[in-house]
Amino acid sequence: MTETPVLPVYMRRNGFDPARELADLRDGQGVALVDSPFGHPVWLVTRLADVRQVLGDATRFGNTDLPLLRMPGAPSFTEQEKAAMRAGNLLAFDPPDHTRLRKFLTPEFTVRRIRRLEPRIAEIVADHIDAMARTGPPADLVADFALPVPSLVICELLGVPYADRDEFQGHASRLLDVSAPIGERLATQRAARAYMAELVARAMAEPGDDLLGMLVREHGDDLSADELAGIGSLLLVAGHETTSNMLGLGTLALLEHPDQVRLLRAEPERIVDAVEELLRWLTVVHTGVARCATEDTELGGKAIAKGDLVVCSLPAANRDSAVLADPDAFDITRGNTGHVAFGHGVHHCIGAPLARMEMRIAFPALLNRFPALRAAGPEVDFRGHQIVYGLASFPVTW
């Protein structure tokens, strides 16, 4: 029987909240050495100002290597294999390599471009709500709504066959599950990359009107097949995992705060602020990618040596009492607090406008269609060992 690994402190949660020991670290030292799955301690950064400093300074804190490849038990790879696995993954590069890759995508993820998708996203949301209504309660909000809506959106955007959703969702779930053996996760990474390589080959042979087709047509001379596969893989996983977990966990958060739902129904224009508060309060991405100190430096009063790994706790930073009053309270009247749920600096999530639009459409549509929506059981199933926090299932009725 495989032993479930102990979660590092920066992945521990208590329901909606970061674990108490994580909050204590933020309110105490701020920056401290903690155990990690990488075989040696890492510097954990928990205060908002320090997190912004790390994420905003790609010169001192870089992404020059994937931490996954340094984990104990991981097989060895040649430099050629490492390069192929990293190709196109924006999270694995610093400027100027990161800048070069991101510039190909930035025009497609501006707020103005994303607004073109609004009618189709609204249609996808309505279709899934209609299906829930036809089937009748109870329903699993994760399986019936939170997961398929962003999956279909990102599939249509990228040009990924929606019929393949079980395959790529399975890849994503296993890849992001830290309880899985490292060998299994790396095998999943290879399988996911091979799947995307097949889609890239099809797009190169016959580019469509989707994002992969656009990249081939307009930048095929500038991007290798490995880079196209890496870009597609990153967008596919990030495009449905993060938003789907926000939709599931966010609905639970709203239902457990009926006063906030009443306010949102009375003043629907507050949905913009409500989404920002959900992003801040839930912060489903624990840390993002670890950084590597590129020089001897200082952070939060601690001496960081060149080569040390640095991990930023995004949930802890987003509840920093030095920045916000009563940060553990869920309050949709706060407005945009400058949270780091989408990261910060050059690696700020390129898909943030799309995720925001999906949530601004989905939450009101769900709450308006089912005014008596409520949990169908006393407990929900949190995904504690996933890199992206959320719910494995959420039975609801109405």
Side-chain angles (χ1 to χ4, degrees), residues 317-394:
N318 279 338
R319 297 198 183 193
D320 191 341
S321 60
V323 179
L324 292 176
D326 198 11
D328 291 326
F330 176 62
D331 179 4
I332 68 171
T333 68
R334 288 185 198 271
N336 193 335
T337 58
H339 60 75
V340 288
F342 285 121
H344 180 69
V346 297
H347 290 285
H348 182 271
C349 177
I350 197 169
L354 178 60
R356 285 186 165 108
M357 175 169 285
E358 291 181 72
M359 287 185 276
R360 289 171 185 173
I361 293 171
F363 286 127
L366 188 67
L367 295 173
N368 291 337
R369 182 65 176 273
F370 303 120
L373 188 70
R374 60 193 184 277
E379 296 183 0
V380 293
D381 187 7
F382 289 95
R383 303 195 324 164
H385 282 82
Q386 292 282 333
I387 290 174
V388 181
Y389 190 60
L391 303 176
S393 63
F394 181 19

Side-chain angles (χ1 to χ4, degrees), residues 121-276:
I121 294 172
E123 183 180 15
I124 290 170
V125 167
D127 287 346
H128 284 81
I129 290 177
D130 287 345
M132 288 174 61
R134 283 193 303 270
T135 305
D140 182 351
L141 189 77
V142 172
D144 297 333
F145 185 75
L147 186 57
V149 166
S151 294
L152 184 51
V153 170
I154 198 65
C155 280
E156 292 192 359
L157 179 65
L158 279 175
V160 175
Y162 189 55
D164 294 347
R165 64 191 180 280
D166 288 342
E167 181 177 359
F168 71 71
Q169 286 170 1
H171 287 159
S173 181
R174 290 189 296 273
L175 186 61
L176 300 177
D177 184 356
V178 298
S179 68
I182 183 61
E184 180 182 320
R185 290 172 64 194
L186 288 172
T188 299
Q189 183 183 24
R190 285 196 182 97
R193 194 66 174 239
Y195 167 76
M196 186 56 66
E198 289 182 14
L199 295 183
V200 166
R202 292 183 212 166
M204 293 177 77
E206 190 175 348
D209 295 329
D210 48 73
L211 185 56
L212 278 179
M214 179 279 293
L215 289 172
V216 169
R217 282 194 312 274
E218 299 184 14
H219 307 293
D221 293 336
D222 303 309
L223 290 165
S224 68
D226 280 341
E227 288 177 325
L228 286 166
I231 290 171
S233 297
L234 176 63
L235 293 178
L236 184 59
V237 172
H240 81 269
E241 273 289 328
T242 50
T243 308
S244 68
N245 283 295
M246 277 299 304
L247 289 178
L249 200 59
T251 301
L252 177 62
L254 288 166
L255 295 182
E256 294 201 359
H257 294 83
D259 57 325
Q260 304 288 287
V261 174
R262 285 192 295 272
L263 178 58
L264 186 56
R265 284 190 171 123
E267 303 176 28
E269 67 276 8
R270 287 190 182 273
I271 185 59
V272 174
D273 290 342
V275 165
E276 294 309 312

Side-chain angles (χ1 to χ4, degrees), residues 37-51:
F38 305 126
H40 53 80
V42 299
W43 289 102
L44 179 58
V45 184
T46 57
R47 292 175 183 160
L48 185 60
D50 292 333
V51 166

Side-chain angles (χ1 to χ4, degrees), residues 58-77:
T59 301
R60 283 194 301 155
F61 303 100
N63 289 354
T64 54
D65 195 12
L66 287 176
L68 179 63
L69 300 180
R70 291 198 291 266
M71 291 178 67
S76 60
F77 296 96

